[in-house]
Amino acid sequence: MISKKFKQLCISAAVLVLFATTLNAQQSFSEVPTMRAVWVKSVQAGNVNAGYWDLPGKMKRGEFKKGANVGVWQSDGGEDQQFVFVKRENDTYSIQSFNGFGTVDIAGGNNADGVNIQMWEGNSSPAQRFRFKYLGDGRWKIYTLAGRAICLAGRNHGNGSNVHIWGDHDGPWMEWYFIDVNNSQKLEPVGYSQPVEKKESTRITMKQATGNDTLYRDQYFKLVDNEKFNSENSNGELKVHLNGLETGKQWNAVIGIINNAKQNSDIAAKRSILKAVSEVIIKPASGFAENLLKGPVTKKINDEAASEKDAESKNYIKTVAGKF
């Protein structure tokens, strides 16, 4: 017959498992790029040469000290400061040392505040499985399967400081940069695209931008997002407006719109604007003054095309230049 105490222990264990499962289910985990050498650097260390994960001692290739705690140190260029993420089952990863065959491991498989992160031989245990959460701006958190986070011991990123696990909370001592050894770029999640910032142009309309106020025009085409522009230009309003201007005003407006669209950080919006401008019927020069201006205007637009890095946007600007 099962004792009452044993039943209580079973219930407590089930609650703990359920809590850990629920915690992980609530997290929004990210897919980290794999099979490349990275430095793992503390966000708390900022731009200072400090806070890099480090294996104790100067390990040669193929070496690791079983049971050695992972700490942080200033960058010394050694392979013992480089790690590789390896995809495992159920959106988990192992973290392996680049210089040998050691695997990052939770000491003793324990789930408690202050348990060390150590190097161990790979054994596919839960103590060697981790999940990642991307926070933006190159910052990541690393979670154990039980929902604790890897962080700096004592919030200290100085040479020799320890790395361990702790209950998850916010702070740069719990955040890490993953820096690609080959190009020194901070890793972002697989398939990640930088969110387009909501812009001030939401307060400016196409009607205002095509009025007599060049300040509205400049702000609109520099800041408008693609969805808003396409909505307000659904019937070719920009083309109609530009086609209706007198020659000199049309040329000036075209140059201004091209210049400001190039500065738009929403590349889709930039392309949409420049495409619309490329469809405009450019009016020919009439009279001595306009014929004198035609050369400088064409050169200005060609210069804008030459300095544009996006190939599609460049082609639209060249199309405009070819109409003069």
Side-chain angles (χ1 to χ4, degrees), residues 247-278:
T247 304
K249 290 183 178 180
Q250 184 196 59
W251 292 3
N252 286 333
V254 165
I255 291 173
I257 292 171
I258 289 174
N259 178 265
N260 285 287
K262 284 181 58 181
Q263 300 175 59
N264 196 314
S265 60
D266 184 341
I267 190 169
K270 174 167 67 173
R271 291 172 176 174
S272 295
I273 295 166
L274 294 175
K275 181 178 185 295
V277 175
S278 73

Side-chain angles (χ1 to χ4, degrees), residues 240-251:
V240 171
H241 165 71
L242 292 174
N243 282 342
L245 294 176
E246 298 175 0
T247 304
K249 290 183 178 180
Q250 184 196 59
W251 292 3

Side-chain angles (χ1 to χ4, degrees), residues 15 23 56 58 62 71 80 95 105 136 144 169-170 175 201 208 228 241 244 259 270 292 295 320:
V15 169
L23 178 65
K58 193 70 174 178
D80 61 330
I95 306 173
D105 179 278
T144 68
H169 56 278
D170 294 330
E175 301 169 2
S201 65
Q208 290 173 310
K228 178 177 175 64
H241 165 71
N259 178 265
K270 174 167 67 173
L292 282 180
V320 177

Side-chain angles (χ1 to χ4, degrees), residues 97-146:
S97 61
F98 181 74
N99 75 314
F101 303 100
T103 299
V104 174
D105 179 278
I106 304 168
N110 295 317
N111 177 38
D113 287 344
V115 174
N116 288 329
I117 295 299
Q118 64 179 7
M119 299 306 300
W120 204 262
E121 57 192 14
N123 55 29
S124 301
S125 71
Q128 296 182 357
R129 293 290 183 268
F130 302 93
R131 292 188 173 102
F132 300 92
K133 181 179 181 180
Y134 188 64
L135 306 176
D137 300 322
R139 300 172 299 122
W140 295 79
K141 279 189 176 183
I142 308 172
Y143 289 97
T144 68
L145 295 191

Side-chain angles (χ1 to χ4, degrees), residues 1-106:
M1 185 174 180
I2 300 174
S3 68
K4 182 177 180 181
K5 184 176 182 180
F6 181 75
K7 286 182 179 180
Q8 290 175 336
L9 287 173
C10 290
I11 292 171
S12 298
V15 169
L16 287 173
V17 171
L18 178 62
F19 174 76
T21 303
T22 302
L23 178 65
N24 281 324
Q26 291 173 344
Q27 295 285 0
S28 178
F29 295 113
S30 308
E31 186 177 355
V32 69
T34 58
M35 303 309 293
R36 66 183 71 187
V38 299
W39 292 298
V40 181
K41 175 180 167 67
S42 169
V43 171
Q44 181 176 281
N47 295 322
V48 176
N49 182 13
Y52 291 83
W53 279 21
D54 179 272
L55 304 185
K58 193 70 174 178
M59 298 293 173
K60 298 178 182 179
R61 175 167 289 193
E63 293 181 343
F64 77 95
K65 186 176 180 181
K66 186 175 178 180
N69 290 348
V70 176
V72 293
W73 204 268
Q74 67 187 42
S75 176
D76 59 14
E79 289 186 352
D80 61 330
Q81 291 186 337
Q82 299 175 22
F83 297 84
V84 176
F85 304 127
V86 181
K87 187 76 170 67
R88 302 300 184 185
E89 66 282 351
N90 300 325
D91 76 357
T92 66
Y93 298 80
S94 62
I95 306 173
Q96 299 178 354
S97 61
F98 181 74
N99 75 314
F101 303 100
T103 299
V104 174
D105 179 278
I106 304 168

Side-chain angles (χ1 to χ4, degrees), residues 196-210 215-232 260-261 263-266 269-270 273:
V196 177
E197 182 181 355
K198 292 297 182 181
K199 301 183 176 67
E200 296 177 5
S201 65
T202 53
R203 298 199 301 266
I204 303 173
T205 65
M206 169 78 80
K207 185 175 181 180
Q208 290 173 310
T210 53
L215 179 60
Y216 277 155
R217 182 197 69 194
D218 293 347
Q219 288 182 340
Y220 181 85
F221 292 107
K222 186 183 296 183
L223 299 172
V224 67
D225 60 66
N226 191 49
E227 182 180 359
K228 178 177 175 64
F229 175 75
N230 285 324
S231 173
E232 296 186 332
N260 285 287
Q263 300 175 59
N264 196 314
S265 60
D266 184 341
K270 174 167 67 173
I273 295 166

